[in-house]
């Protein structure tokens, strides 16, 4: 572990030199890439340097304990030794976690797609509830949620809603929401008071930048058509709606939220790029997952990950066996308790895997 930490510190020092090199300063791409790489290892280097200081301090106090000291001084040295020993153990645990390979998408914005699944109108209503829950969670973290496309029902739900969530570390926390969500409750339309079970699916895609995925113009077919609202009525008479088809993958995105064809195409391209990037990412993960399956992976969207039980005010995350009797609070966007537990489980799993390979 310490060889790896020293290698990280050496790379940090090398990046410092590179970032002051005039050839790098004048190259915007290199400057951005090196700055991003340095930022990603700064916490590890600072923690490792603190660890080395504590280790040196421990060696000094250990030597002092072997010297002839009066009782008061001996007690002070012993107290310092105990404090440094505890600090060393704490820093070692932090360093182990910091050495766990980071998901390169963690700092990215998120394109979230929520769809009503099994359950008809009740599933669409639940999709609307999930959208409001995630919107409130985004607001609580200072992120911005922008609706890209919405297919609303007449009763306050959504057959489908696509949201762009802008904010530092959005993907790092929301990626665990990927999957099928199940609700158990008595629908408002149910006169007999029977509990119904419905589902909605949530897809979490990291927003892809132009430099990360090369989409050639001749690989995209663009169709335009008049926008239509609920029931098929025309929203406007201009051909403002856009349908983009990525020919190599067959991925299709339609957008009619804006009155401007240009704006619809921009939004559609953003979603298309994210879906293509996600497809390649998932394919690359398949081989890895055959060797090691994470308990809280971000793969199969058909997998039921969580149940929201209204009569019992209960939320259960099935991946880690977590049950919380705070459904009312969670639906208000207070998701941190659940997400923190998922992150902890994921880090522990990766740490165990890392230890096995050492």
């Amino acid at each position: 572990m310490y060889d790896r930490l020293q290698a990280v510190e050496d790379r940090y020092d090398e990046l410092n030199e590179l970032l002051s090199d005039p050839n790098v300063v004048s190259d915007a791409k290199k400057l951005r890439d090196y700055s991003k790489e340095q930022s990603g290892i700064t916490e590890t280097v600072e923690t490792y340097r603190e660890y080395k200081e504590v280790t040196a301090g421990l060696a000094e106090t250990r030597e002092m304990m072997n010297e002839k000291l009066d009782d008061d001084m001996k007690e002070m040295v012993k107290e310092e030794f105990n404090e440094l020993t505890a600090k060393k153990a704490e820093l070692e645990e932090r360093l182990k976690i910091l050495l766990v390979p980071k998901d390169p998408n963690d700092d990215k914005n998120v394109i979230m797609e929520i769809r009503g699944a099994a359950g008809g109108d009740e599933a669409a209503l639940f999709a609307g509830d999930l959208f409001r829950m995630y919107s409130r969670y985004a607001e609580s973290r200072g992120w911005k949620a922008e609706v890209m496309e919405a297919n609303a029902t007449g009763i306050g739900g959504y057959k489908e809603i696509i949201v762009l969530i802008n904010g530092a570390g959005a993907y790092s926390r929301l990626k665990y929401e990927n999957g099928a969500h199940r609700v158990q409750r008595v629908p408002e339309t149910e006169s007999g008071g029977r509990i119904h079970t419905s589902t909605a699916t949530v897809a979490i895609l990291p927003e892809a930048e132009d430099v990360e995925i090369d989409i050639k113009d001749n690989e995209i077919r663009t169709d335009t058509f008049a926008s239509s609202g609920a029931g098929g009525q025309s929203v406007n008479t201009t051909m403002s709606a856009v349908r983009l088809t990525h020919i190599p993958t067959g991925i299709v995105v339609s957008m009619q939220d804006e009155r401007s064809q240009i704006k619809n195409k921009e939004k559609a391209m953003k979603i298309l790029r994210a879906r293509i990037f996600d497809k390649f990412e998932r394919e690359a993960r398949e081989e890895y997952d055959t060797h090691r399956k994470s308990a809280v992976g971000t793969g199969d969207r058909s997998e039921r990950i969580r149940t929201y039980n209204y009569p019992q005010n209960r939320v259960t995350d099935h991946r880690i066996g977590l049950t919380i009797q705070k459904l009312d609070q969670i639906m208000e966007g207070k998701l941190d308790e659940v997400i923190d537990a998922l992150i902890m489980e994921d880090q522990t799993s990766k740490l165990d895997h890392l230890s096995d390979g050492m």
Side-chain angles (χ1 to χ4, degrees), residues 80-115:
E80 184 180 0
F81 179 82
N82 290 337
E83 288 176 2
L84 289 171
T85 300
K87 185 68 176 176
K88 180 173 180 278
E90 177 196 325
L91 290 169
E92 282 175 345
E93 289 305 309
R94 278 179 59 193
L95 286 169
K96 286 177 185 176
I97 291 171
L98 287 167
L99 278 178
V100 172
K102 289 184 174 61
D103 186 331
N105 296 320
D106 274 353
D107 292 331
K108 292 181 181 175
N109 299 326
V110 161
I111 290 177
M112 173 182 283
E113 303 180 355
I114 306 172
R115 295 179 178 86

Side-chain angles (χ1 to χ4, degrees), residues 45-312:
V45 171
E46 289 177 349
T47 306
Y48 178 49
R49 287 175 175 172
E50 185 181 359
Y51 173 82
K52 288 195 291 186
E53 288 177 9
V54 168
T55 303
L58 262 175
E60 288 179 15
T61 53
R62 196 176 282 112
E63 285 181 12
M64 289 179 68
M65 288 171 74
N66 292 327
E67 296 175 3
K68 289 185 178 181
L69 304 170
D70 60 44
D71 290 343
D72 288 344
M73 182 61 74
K74 192 176 288 185
E75 189 60 36
M76 285 176 60
V77 171
K78 185 179 178 182
E79 188 177 329
E80 184 180 0
F81 179 82
N82 290 337
E83 288 176 2
L84 289 171
T85 300
K87 185 68 176 176
K88 180 173 180 278
E90 177 196 325
L91 290 169
E92 282 175 345
E93 289 305 309
R94 278 179 59 193
L95 286 169
K96 286 177 185 176
I97 291 171
L98 287 167
L99 278 178
V100 172
K102 289 184 174 61
D103 186 331
N105 296 320
D106 274 353
D107 292 331
K108 292 181 181 175
N109 299 326
V110 161
I111 290 177
M112 173 182 283
E113 303 180 355
I114 306 172
R115 295 179 178 86
D121 287 344
E122 175 64 10
L125 284 170
F126 181 47
D129 292 336
L130 290 176
F131 163 62
R132 284 181 284 277
M133 176 184 78
Y134 290 123
S135 297
R136 288 165 182 158
Y137 181 63
E139 184 181 353
S140 74
R141 297 196 70 87
W143 301 337
K144 180 184 175 185
E146 175 192 353
V147 175
M148 305 281 284
E149 179 78 339
N151 184 355
T153 62
I155 55 172
Y158 294 96
K159 292 179 181 177
E160 177 187 44
I161 183 164
I162 301 174
V163 188
L164 172 64
I165 299 179
N166 277 284
Y171 185 78
S172 70
R173 298 191 68 79
L174 291 175
K175 63 184 176 183
Y176 303 104
E177 299 305 295
N178 209 45
H181 297 240
R182 179 175 71 169
V183 63
Q184 295 173 325
R185 64 185 175 188
V186 179
E188 293 179 12
T189 54
E190 172 57 58
S191 57
R194 289 182 298 123
I195 295 174
H196 285 229
T197 298
S198 307
T199 57
T201 62
V202 177
I204 303 294
L205 316 180
E207 185 184 18
E209 299 175 11
D210 291 341
V211 295
E212 293 174 307
I213 184 163
D214 182 24
I215 304 175
K216 297 178 175 61
D217 291 340
N218 62 5
E219 294 178 342
I220 298 176
R221 185 174 72 243
T222 304
D223 300 304
T224 57
F225 52 97
S227 298
S228 61
Q233 72 266 30
S234 177
V235 173
N236 59 60
T237 56
T238 61
M239 304 292 279
S240 61
V242 173
R243 182 187 299 111
L244 300 181
T245 303
H246 185 242
I247 297 167
T249 61
I251 294 172
V252 179
V253 176
S254 297
M255 182 63 61
Q256 60 175 23
D257 222 40
E258 303 284 348
R259 290 186 175 273
S260 160
Q261 184 184 118
I262 293 173
K263 287 184 179 178
N264 277 328
K265 188 171 182 179
E266 286 175 354
K267 281 188 171 183
M269 272 302 299
K270 198 180 283 280
I271 295 169
L272 182 67
R273 192 179 296 117
R275 287 183 182 173
I276 294 169
F277 181 76
D278 179 65
K279 174 181 169 61
F280 293 152
E281 285 270 290
R282 282 188 288 120
E283 287 174 354
R285 276 200 301 264
E286 282 179 6
E287 183 179 352
Y288 177 74
D289 285 343
T290 59
H291 300 294
R292 175 187 162 270
K293 183 72 174 175
S294 172
V296 291
T298 56
D300 188 0
R301 285 181 198 128
S302 64
E303 177 191 1
R304 188 188 74 203
I305 64 166
R306 194 175 297 148
T307 294
Y308 303 73
N309 185 295
Y310 276 72
Q312 297 176 19

Side-chain angles (χ1 to χ4, degrees), residues 2-17:
Y2 304 110
D3 289 342
R4 293 182 63 194
L5 287 166
Q6 190 57 53
V8 172
E9 185 180 29
D10 292 343
R11 178 58 178 167
Y12 182 87
D13 292 336
E14 182 184 0
L15 288 166
N16 262 341
E17 293 180 13

